[in-house]
């Protein structure tokens, strides 16, 4: 035996923990071939320690982390301190706010969790809900997130409560108004019964505003380990219908309300196309950065006609169009963004979208004032795009496309055995949503586009319009808003017999009305005045 010198045990702090937690130190006995530890009662060891064995059948006996040997203790000669990385756990956190910038508070809380080493892996949609228990207060925004953490349950609770305090929460009334509310719903498969913490959270089964976002993340997971046959979706299905149906919320900017994709009376956004390119298929050369007076007049005309969004593009995606340099695309896009955000239009706030598949263009445009990144490749053509959008905190439109604009028309086969056209689009968009989430994009920051004319030819585009409601209801895509861009496209010309894109106004009008009927939240158009009237009438028919 050798006399053992006491070692300090590193433990994570419960308030303001560092981004990288220190390794826990355990005292491990390596005493040769014996299966017992001399002069130490085996009952002192943790259950997890007894499970550890090496390939020779030997056991490594480990002290519990709170064990502190007394001064002068005699311990085995080969007792050593072994650093073991903290075990990563999965927990589900409820997110809520009903004061001030509700979505903004929730996003700040998620960013704070990330900064403190509580990694937000996935988020649900955000849902607007009526208050519960205390009814005399504003409507809530609720959601849930899946996090990866090395903190034990009570340590995690301490960290979340510290985030609430850091964001200025003051709890004046139980279940009353609060700018941020963070609750642990589930933690691995553990059950916790503590005076400060109950896991699973006792309110899950009765609260739709908790179950609905949780069911987006883990529909097929049991909530209560004692009742493994009852899944999250089962609890949700058992609830009575709410008086006011819940709707998702997709933030666009601080100066515009979010899209409520499940609100049956919502109004459809009209997105005006502002191509700053010489070679776009129907309006190439119409707008140039050098002609600022003409550009100003075009933007003003869009706003006068009823546009609520302007989509600025500096790279044509028409088949066969050459790819321009990054500098050239920036030189085309940024002047238009800056003009819209200048004092000339300060009294007429409008949502600005940048139509690009380059991360560098997206970052520069958002820095100049753009609100939305509209990526025809769904974030697939530039690997830096999705991480950049996550870092920017911007909303992104993920469009369905196969290949590149140069190769997409050769990739328009959708075998029936693989779900056909609708199934193929849906599955591939689910994959793009998953890729965005893995890159750190919050689910509530995602808009989808079926990609008319992109890897879809002729009648396939009509088929997509006819079945847009199926795409909206597809598992993994529910609750997300949709953008439809059919304006002046060649499939309209084939159906109507109109060869000139500029003359396809009436065919485009029919597709815009069909998009509204199918549930689109945004229609992207060239002919703003005419299509704004079509959308207003379509909203009056189908959105009430």
């Amino acid at each position: 035996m050798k006399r053992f010198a006491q070692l300090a045990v590193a433990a994570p702090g419960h308030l303001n923990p560092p981004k990288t937690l220190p390794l826990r130190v355990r005292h491990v006995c390596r005493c040769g071939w014996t299966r017992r530890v001399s002069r130490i009662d085996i009952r002192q060891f943790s259950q997890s320690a007894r499970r550890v064995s090496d390939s020779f059948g030997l056991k490594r006996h480990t002290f519990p982390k709170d064990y502190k040997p007394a001064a002068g203790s005699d311990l085995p000669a080969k007792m050593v301190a072994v650093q073991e990385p903290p075990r990563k756990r999965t927990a589900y956190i409820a997110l809520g706010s009903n004061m001030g910038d509700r979505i903004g508070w929730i996003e700040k809380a998620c960013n704070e969790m990330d900064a403190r080493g509580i990694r937000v892996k996935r988020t649900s949609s955000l849902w607007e809900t009526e208050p519960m228990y205390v009814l005399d207060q504003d409507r809530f925004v609720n959601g849930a997130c899946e996090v990866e953490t090395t903190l034990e349950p009570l340590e995690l609770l301490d960290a979340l409560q510290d985030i609430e305090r850091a964001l200025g929460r003051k709890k004046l009334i139980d279940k009353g108004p609060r700018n941020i509310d963070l609750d642990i719903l589930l933690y691995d498969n553990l059950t916790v019964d503590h005076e400060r913490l109950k896991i699973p959270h006792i309110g899950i089964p009765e609260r739709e505003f908790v179950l609905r976002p949780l069911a987006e993340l883990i529909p097929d997971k049991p909530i209560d380990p004692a009742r493994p046959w009852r899944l999250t979706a089962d609890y949700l299905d058992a609830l009575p219908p709410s008086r006011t149906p819940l709707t998702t919320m997709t933030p666009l900017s601080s100066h515009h309300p979010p899209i409520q994709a499940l609100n049956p009376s919502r109004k459809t956004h009209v997105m005006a196309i502002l191509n700053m390119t010489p070679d776009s298929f129907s309006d190439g050369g119409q707008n140039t950065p050098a002609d600022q007076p003409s550009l100003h007049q075009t933007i003003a005309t869009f706003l006068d006609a009823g546009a609520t969004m302007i989509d600025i593009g500096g790279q044509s995606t028409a088949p066969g169009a050459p790819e321009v340099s990054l500098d050239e695309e920036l030189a085309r896009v940024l002047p238009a963004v800056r003009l819209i955000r200048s004092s000339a239009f300060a009294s007429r706030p409008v949502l600005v979208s940048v139509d690009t598949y380059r991360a560098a263009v997206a970052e520069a445009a958002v820095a100049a004032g753009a609100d939305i990144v509209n990526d025809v490749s769904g974030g697939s053509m530039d690997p830096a795009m999705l991480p950049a959008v996550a870092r920017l905190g911007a909303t992104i439109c993920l469009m369905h496309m196969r290949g590149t604009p140069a190769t997409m028309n050769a990739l328009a086969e959708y075998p029936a055995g693989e779900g056909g056209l609708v199934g193929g689009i849906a599955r591939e968009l689910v994959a793009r949503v998953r890729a965005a989430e893995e890159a750190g994009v919050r689910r509530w920051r995602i808009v989808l586009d079926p990609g008319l004319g992109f890897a879809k030819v002729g009648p396939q585009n009509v088929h997509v319009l006819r079945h847009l409601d199926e795409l909206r209801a597809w598992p993994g895509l529910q609750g997300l808003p949709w953008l439809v861009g059919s304006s002046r496209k060649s499939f309209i010309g084939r159906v109507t017999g109109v060869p000139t894109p500029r003359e396809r106004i009436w065919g485009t009008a029919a597709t815009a009305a069909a998009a509204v009927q199918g549930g689109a939240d945004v229609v992207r158009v060239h002919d703003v005045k005419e299509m704004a009237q079509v959308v207003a009438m379509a909203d009056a028919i189908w959105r009430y």
Side-chain angles (χ1 to χ4, degrees):
M1 291 290 179
K2 289 185 180 178
R3 191 167 297 278
F4 179 84
Q6 184 172 348
L7 297 178
V9 178
H14 65 283
L15 296 181
N16 297 318
K19 292 183 180 180
T20 303
L21 295 175
L23 296 174
R24 303 176 191 271
V25 177
R26 291 187 173 183
H27 307 286
V28 180
C29 179
R30 295 174 177 163
C31 303
W33 295 92
T34 181
R35 288 181 178 269
R36 63 185 179 83
V37 177
S38 176
R39 299 177 63 180
I40 299 176
D41 189 343
I42 190 65
R43 288 172 295 179
Q44 294 180 14
F45 292 101
S46 65
Q47 187 66 31
S48 61
R50 295 187 210 127
R51 297 194 194 105
V52 181
S53 61
D54 60 22
S55 59
F56 296 101
L58 301 179
K59 290 189 176 180
R60 299 170 63 197
H61 299 284
T62 307
F63 284 111
K65 63 182 180 182
D66 58 351
Y67 175 74
K68 295 181 179 180
S73 296
D74 287 332
L75 294 177
K78 295 187 179 181
M79 182 69 73
V80 294
V82 176
Q83 289 186 330
E84 296 183 357
R87 181 178 174 185
K88 294 179 180 179
R89 304 274 199 161
T90 297
Y92 294 88
I93 311 297
L95 312 165
S97 174
N98 78 329
M99 294 176 63
D101 182 5
R102 300 170 297 173
I103 296 175
W105 286 118
I106 289 174
E107 293 191 320
K108 287 178 182 177
C110 289
N111 292 340
E112 189 67 21
M113 282 190 275
D114 279 330
R116 297 178 183 222
I118 305 168
R119 178 172 167 251
V120 179
K121 294 181 64 179
R122 291 190 301 150
T123 59
S124 70
S125 301
L126 291 179
W127 299 79
E128 188 172 51
T129 66
E130 296 288 351
M132 195 173 181
Y133 308 117
V134 178
L135 303 182
D136 186 19
Q137 56 180 319
D138 292 335
R139 291 166 67 87
F140 274 85
V141 173
N142 290 104
C145 62
E146 177 185 291
V147 304
E148 183 181 80
T149 180
T150 57
L151 299 176
E152 297 297 324
L154 287 175
E155 293 174 326
L156 179 59
L157 177 64
D158 287 337
L160 296 179
Q161 291 180 344
D162 192 50
I163 290 172
E164 291 177 335
R165 286 191 294 271
L167 295 179
R169 171 173 172 170
K170 292 180 175 60
K171 188 173 182 179
L172 302 177
I173 304 173
D174 187 36
K175 299 181 175 61
R178 57 269 200 195
N179 67 319
I180 191 63
D181 192 21
L182 305 174
D183 289 312
I184 303 173
L185 300 175
L186 302 170
Y187 183 97
D188 268 3
N189 294 316
L190 297 184
T191 299
V192 177
D193 187 6
H194 188 274
E195 60 182 4
R196 294 182 57 211
L197 181 64
K198 309 291 183 187
I199 300 178
H201 194 288
I202 59 174
I204 294 176
E206 66 185 37
R207 301 177 182 177
E208 184 182 7
F209 64 83
V210 173
L211 277 170
R212 196 159 291 282
L214 193 59
E216 287 185 288
L217 296 173
I218 47 169
D220 300 323
K221 179 181 174 63
I223 290 176
D224 186 350
R227 296 176 177 84
W229 58 88
R230 291 206 69 184
L231 310 178
T232 306
D234 297 330
Y235 286 95
L236 181 61
D237 293 341
L239 289 177
S242 58
R243 290 180 305 161
T244 304
L246 274 60
T247 180
T248 55
M249 304 182 74
T250 302
L252 302 170
S253 78
S254 60
H255 51 79
H256 272 74
I259 294 175
Q260 297 185 327
L262 299 180
N263 182 347
S265 62
R266 69 194 185 280
K267 299 303 180 185
T268 307
H269 282 276
V270 176
M271 174 183 274
I273 299 170
L274 183 60
N275 281 326
M276 305 296 295
T277 53
D279 53 353
S280 290
F281 79 96
S282 74
D283 58 355
Q286 185 172 318
N287 305 295
T288 62
D291 191 351
Q292 287 284 297
S294 176
L295 189 58
H296 182 282
Q297 182 58 45
T298 298
I299 295 166
T301 300
F302 287 162
L303 298 180
D304 291 341
T308 54
M309 300 179 174
I310 297 178
D311 190 41
I312 303 169
Q315 163 68 62
S316 175
T317 53
E323 185 175 43
V324 300
S325 69
L326 171 62
D327 289 343
E328 177 64 24
E329 187 177 357
L330 288 169
R332 294 174 178 179
V333 167
L334 294 183
V337 177
R338 292 177 182 136
L339 177 57
I340 296 173
R341 288 293 178 244
S342 70
S343 58
F345 295 100
S347 63
R348 308 180 70 180
V350 63
L351 293 160
V352 176
S353 168
V354 57
D355 181 3
T356 185
Y357 49 77
R358 285 181 167 132
V361 175
E363 293 195 67
V366 170
D371 305 293
I372 303 161
V373 177
N374 183 14
D375 186 344
V376 297
S377 76
S380 64
M381 290 182 66
D382 184 347
M385 175 62 88
L386 296 178
V389 170
R391 185 171 60 255
L392 294 168
T395 296
I396 184 169
C397 182
L398 303 174
M399 196 188 80
H400 175 268
M401 181 178 73
R402 290 176 170 178
T404 68
T407 63
M408 61 187 180
N409 285 346
L411 302 172
E413 292 187 11
Y414 299 84
E418 298 176 8
L421 179 61
V422 173
I425 294 171
R427 286 197 321 276
E428 290 165 28
L429 279 177
V430 167
R432 297 318 303 157
V433 170
R434 186 181 303 116
E437 290 178 320
E438 289 174 352
V441 178
R442 312 302 187 203
R443 184 178 179 86
W444 56 75
R445 285 284 183 179
I446 295 175
V447 178
L448 300 177
D449 182 341
L452 298 181
F454 288 79
K456 296 153 203 83
V457 294
Q460 289 179 327
N461 297 284
V462 177
H463 187 81
V464 171
L465 284 170
R466 192 180 295 136
H467 295 276
L468 185 60
D469 57 339
E470 292 182 32
L471 284 170
R472 292 179 68 237
W474 198 272
L477 304 179
Q478 305 102 319
L480 295 174
W482 287 77
L483 180 154
V484 173
S486 57
S487 185
R488 299 182 181 179
K489 289 190 173 176
S490 60
F491 77 92
I492 296 174
R494 290 191 181 96
V495 172
T496 61
V498 178
T500 305
R502 290 172 181 263
E503 298 176 1
R504 294 171 185 162
I505 295 176
W506 303 117
T508 297
T511 63
V516 172
Q517 182 185 22
D521 302 275
V522 183
V523 292
R524 182 177 180 271
V525 299
H526 296 86
D527 306 291
V528 179
K529 181 178 180 180
E530 295 84 353
M531 294 312 115
Q533 294 178 23
V534 170
V535 166
M537 197 67 228
D539 280 348
I541 297 170
W542 288 295
R543 303 280 170 86
Y544 59 90

